[in-house]
């Protein structure tokens, strides 16, 4: 601020993993010690009484309806709306224990990459794709959408692309599996695990 860096005088200093600015201008910080919120010079720990409490949060994302989604380690997926957190866990269909990738498509479906597959959350229902549905690996470390209708993801076996149309068709039960194109060392990558 004003051309200078300063350290905020908080009593505890968690390791911050990432940040996201929502449409109101608030900045959400994920950390190894829960979720934090910064607005107008105030830094606050959020959700200490919620199920994720002091657990590590890894990602935040705001959907088109203004809901804030939070992925946490060993605690599940959370939605923050109107000042309240709603928890989604393995019992609800959330894949895995690490929900580190969040992406919303043009139809409002939320895609969640985890350590146990890629899930689509649509109309209140989760559907998870894994190796049995054609993915090259259960771990999804990142997801990017290109301009040609494909999702690009990385895993422990390399980087792969898959048609978003096929992913939706599989999640809808219209096809049993998807076809992915996997890129690795033979294609010029220096390692098969681009973590």
């Amino acid at each position: 601020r004003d051309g200078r860096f300063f350290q905020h005088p908080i009593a505890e200093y968690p390791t911050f993993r990432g940040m996201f600015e929502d449409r109101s201008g608030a900045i959400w910080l994920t950390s190894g010690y829960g979720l934090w919120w910064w607005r107008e010079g105030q830094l606050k720990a959020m959700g200490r009484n919620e199920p994720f409490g002091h657990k590590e949060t890894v990602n935040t994302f705001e959907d088109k309806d203004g809901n804030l989604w939070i992925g946490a380690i060993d605690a599940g997926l959370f939605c923050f709306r109107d000042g309240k957190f709603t928890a989604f866990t393995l019992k609800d269909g959330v894949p895995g224990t690490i929900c580190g990738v969040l992406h919303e498509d043009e139809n409002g479906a939320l895609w969640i990459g985890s350590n146990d597959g890629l899930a689509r959350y649509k109309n209140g229902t989760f559907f998870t794709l894994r190796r049995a549905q054609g993915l090259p690996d259960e771990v999804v470390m990142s997801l990017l959408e290109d301009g040609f209708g494909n999702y690009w993801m990385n895993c422990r076996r390399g980087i792969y692309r898959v048609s978003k149309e096929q992913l939706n068709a599989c999640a809808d039960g219209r096809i049993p599996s998807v076809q992915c194109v996997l890129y690795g060392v033979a294609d010029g990558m220096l390692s098969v695990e681009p973590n």
Side-chain angles (χ1 to χ4, degrees), residues 81-103:
R81 183 178 179 87
D82 299 327
K84 296 180 181 179
F85 289 95
T86 301
F88 299 92
T89 64
L90 291 170
K91 293 179 182 178
D92 301 301
V94 172
T97 57
I98 303 173
C99 298
V101 178
L102 302 170
H103 174 78

